[in-house]
Amino acid sequence: MTFISRIDKIYRGLERSISMEREEADLDQHKPLKQLDLNDDALSSSTQIRLGAAKINDNNNVVPNNKNRGVEIKERTAVIRAPPPTTNDDDKKKVQQSTANVPKATAKIAPLPNNNINSSPLTNTATDFSTFKQYPHDRLYCMIPFIWNRPTYSAIMSTWGQRCDTIHFLTDAMVGGELNGDHISFTNNNGGEETTKPYWEYPPDTFPSNVKFINMTRTWECPPTYNKRTGRTEQKVCRHIWEKMWRSWVYVDEHHKNDAEWFCKIDYDTFFFPDNFKYYVRDVKDWDPVGEHHYFGHVIQHRSRKDAPMVVGASACWSRKTLGDIAQVYREMPKGSKKGERGKCEDRAHATEEVTTSMCLREHLKIEPEAARDDQMREYITIDRYPLVLTWNRTEQGEWWFWKGKPKDAGQMENTIARRPIGIHKYKKPEEILTLWEEFYGPRSGNEALEKVGKQRHGEVAKRFVEEVRKEMGIDP
């Protein structure tokens, strides 16, 4: 069976479960809608922000945007119909009166059901997860910052995504282009240009129900730029990751705070181990997620101002208490700055997500990042592929950026990674996600992926690591 046919088979299985779930969570017909707060600082009237089918005028009223009139505007879970174009002053006054009376959102919507599609089949595993230790008071919410991509979504949902208690893909509102690693191509297979369009212009049921679109105030596409190296003009993408992240966490706090005790932002190219995460927070640390602030992951100190520590983006996790408090900080922080990095907790263009997150936590909540390491000082989360990380020799290579700020007795080489890993990073292709699942959870005998581990570069070290991980997790005796 080819890789593409495997992905199509997985996706068809997911679609059946998704259609069943939609009957239980039909927000448009059965749930109250949260109206857009026109006084939100992020919607500054002076900047004439475009929100799909409408914009905010100088009187802070919703008025038509003729480029997209007649469609729905969706801000988080809000639905506001753009009024039709007006032709005279009397009609304009009626439109302003009708929009001015839109009620503000003062009550929170009841939490939605968990969106993990646990009825879908896992990919090629002999593991009986019913024998795994259960952690009923350490439920995990997995949040994947995403650009819609069907193969990657299917690969995650058919493997480690099944082990999250709730998993949502917080996705850019604009859909289009081809995702290839961290780059987006706007050229299709026939050499023509592909265009992007907002998700609400697609037919109903196009996207799975656990894909949550996040509208932002900044333009997704940047102007074309000239690449001196290639000699070509290229279309760049301004993803504005910081704005997307803080808006995503506010959404999670308002709609899913009670669905879990722990919340992790997980990059799509991180292979995550939800069961190992629960083992860490309960059996290793015994933390209180409701009464204690925690913000943890792989901590580095070389990128931010004054080398302040921060958690790398591969997997950054926090407790429910941290989520609730930082979401309020995000709501109240200054909005709309067009300046770059300047050492402030604010919504601004071109900000670095990891730096600003740690800055906001430190400045407003006095929360410092906690390094996730085991009792042998081995990292639970990697920042690169595990065979490579297992060869990093601090003694011979010296104090390059990875080691900066780490304890002198931090593990190195084969002792760099814990044997109950929480996340391993830089696996961007769907087939790599499926292969890792087979390596760590597949049957012992006849496992081609497991056999190939020893044949790759640094294969002997990598194979030994995988075998030890499988044994520690209880996959192998």
Side-chain angles (χ1 to χ4, degrees):
M1 181 182 294
T2 66
F3 168 70
I4 296 299
S5 63
R6 289 171 66 193
I7 286 292
D8 286 339
K9 182 178 180 181
I10 293 169
Y11 194 79
R12 286 195 298 270
L14 293 173
E15 285 178 329
R16 180 181 179 186
S17 298
I18 292 165
S19 64
M20 294 174 62
E21 185 183 354
R22 285 186 183 279
E23 296 177 1
E24 300 176 358
D26 189 347
L27 291 179
D28 290 337
Q29 297 182 22
H30 304 294
K31 298 284 185 180
L33 293 171
K34 176 182 176 181
Q35 299 295 337
L36 185 66
D37 184 353
L38 302 183
N39 293 320
D40 188 338
D41 290 338
L43 305 179
S44 171
S45 59
S46 63
T47 58
Q48 293 290 292
I49 296 168
R50 181 170 67 87
L51 293 175
K55 60 186 178 182
I56 309 300
N57 69 5
D58 291 333
N59 295 321
N60 213 22
N61 291 321
V62 177
V63 296
N65 181 348
N66 292 331
K67 293 182 180 180
N68 265 330
R69 63 176 178 263
V71 302
E72 289 183 342
I73 310 165
K74 298 189 178 182
E75 172 66 10
R76 304 186 185 101
T77 58
V79 177
I80 301 176
R81 290 261 179 205
T86 58
T87 57
N88 55 57
D89 292 338
D90 290 336
D91 288 339
K92 290 180 180 179
K93 289 180 180 179
K94 292 178 181 179
V95 169
Q96 290 180 354
Q97 290 172 357
S98 64
T99 56
N101 293 325
V102 173
K104 294 182 180 179
T106 56
K108 290 185 172 63
I109 298 175
L112 301 177
N114 284 1
N115 280 273
N116 197 352
I117 309 167
N118 287 313
S119 57
S120 301
L122 288 166
T123 298
N124 187 27
T125 178
T127 303
D128 181 6
F129 286 101
S130 66
T131 64
F132 274 40
K133 182 176 180 179
Q134 303 300 306
Y135 298 88
H137 302 296
D138 293 289
R139 295 171 300 167
L140 173 61
Y141 179 101
C142 299
M143 187 259 276
I144 319 299
F146 206 54
I147 294 176
W148 173 245
N149 178 273
R150 170 179 159 172
T152 301
Y153 170 87
S154 299
I156 292 174
M157 284 304 303
S158 64
T159 56
W160 65 262
Q162 295 278 322
R163 302 302 300 158
C164 299
D165 294 286
T166 302
I167 179 170
H168 286 160
F169 294 75
L170 278 293
T171 304
D172 286 45
M174 299 301 293
V175 178
E178 183 68 24
L179 183 65
N180 181 16
D182 287 332
H183 303 281
I184 302 174
S185 171
F186 292 95
T187 303
N188 58 34
N189 294 331
N190 298 322
E193 291 294 321
E194 286 194 1
T195 59
T196 60
K197 61 182 180 180
Y199 67 94
W200 59 79
E201 292 186 9
Y202 285 82
D205 300 334
T206 297
F207 307 102
S209 60
N210 64 344
V211 173
K212 307 296 181 181
F213 290 95
I214 300 297
N215 291 340
M216 297 190 292
T217 60
R218 294 180 175 88
T219 304
W220 194 59
E221 295 180 359
C222 293
T225 57
Y226 179 74
N227 188 324
K228 293 182 180 180
R229 185 178 60 83
T230 63
R232 295 182 298 180
T233 299
E234 299 176 349
Q235 175 68 60
K236 296 292 185 180
V237 175
C238 290
R239 294 178 57 192
H240 299 293
I241 296 176
W242 166 233
E243 182 186 357
K244 179 177 177 179
M245 289 309 307
W246 74 255
R247 287 187 180 277
S248 295
W249 283 125
V250 169
Y251 164 82
V252 173
D253 178 66
E254 292 179 351
H255 300 283
H256 301 285
K257 183 178 179 179
N258 294 323
D259 289 348
E261 286 70 48
W262 300 99
F263 299 81
C264 286
K265 170 256 183 183
I266 306 164
D267 283 353
Y268 80 93
D269 59 343
T270 295
F271 187 89
F272 201 71
F273 297 78
D275 296 282
N276 289 350
F277 171 88
K278 295 180 180 182
Y279 159 81
Y280 174 73
V281 297
R282 181 54 48 219
D283 294 345
V284 176
K285 307 301 291 187
D286 195 24
W287 282 336
D288 173 11
V290 178
E292 298 173 356
H293 283 130
H294 292 289
Y295 160 57
F296 58 101
H298 189 119
V299 175
I300 57 174
Q301 287 187 235
H302 75 288
R303 289 182 58 188
S304 57
R305 292 187 174 213
K306 299 180 181 179
D307 295 323
M310 65 179 184
V311 173
V312 297
S315 301
C317 304
W318 44 36
S319 60
R320 185 196 292 178
K321 181 173 176 60
T322 301
L323 168 66
D325 290 346
I326 195 62
Q328 188 59 31
V329 170
Y330 292 160
R331 293 186 191 96
E332 297 174 353
M333 68 183 177
K335 308 291 195 305
S337 173
K338 296 181 180 179
K339 298 182 179 180
E341 297 286 1
R342 55 178 185 168
K344 293 185 178 181
C345 175
E346 62 182 353
D347 168 61
R348 62 185 181 278
H350 312 299
T352 303
E353 179 258 322
E354 298 100 324
V355 172
T356 312
T357 296
S358 62
M359 188 185 307
C360 291
L361 287 163
R362 182 178 297 108
E363 178 181 330
H364 291 277
L365 302 176
K366 310 301 180 185
I367 299 174
E368 293 291 336
E370 299 171 88
R373 301 189 185 105
D374 66 8
D375 57 1
Q376 298 183 48
M377 300 300 288
R378 301 177 297 190
E379 301 285 351
Y380 278 96
I381 298 169
T382 77
I383 62 171
D384 211 325
R385 294 170 178 249
Y386 73 86
L388 181 61
V389 175
L390 293 168
T391 67
W392 289 351
N393 188 325
R394 189 177 194 176
T395 303
E396 293 184 1
Q397 296 172 347
E399 295 293 307
W400 56 286
W401 68 262
F402 174 79
W403 300 109
K404 188 172 183 179
K406 286 184 168 60
K408 294 299 181 181
D409 58 346
Q412 58 180 312
M413 298 186 69
E414 288 194 56
N415 284 322
T416 306
I417 311 173
R419 294 314 188 256
R420 291 287 298 263
I422 292 175
I424 52 179
H425 190 50
K426 281 197 176 178
Y427 294 90
K428 300 181 182 300
K429 298 179 180 179
E431 58 265 33
E432 293 176 331
I433 298 172
L434 298 173
T435 297
L436 286 170
W437 181 260
E438 294 181 5
E439 287 180 16
F440 290 102
Y441 293 99
R444 180 70 185 180
S445 60
N447 189 328
E448 295 182 3
L450 192 57
E451 293 175 359
K452 290 180 180 179
V453 171
K455 298 177 182 179
Q456 61 182 309
R457 186 184 180 191
H458 312 305
E460 183 178 343
V461 172
K463 184 178 181 181
R464 189 157 49 242
F465 171 76
V466 172
E467 290 176 342
E468 291 175 1
V469 170
R470 288 172 61 97
K471 185 175 182 179
E472 285 292 322
M473 295 194 302
I475 307 301
D476 294 336

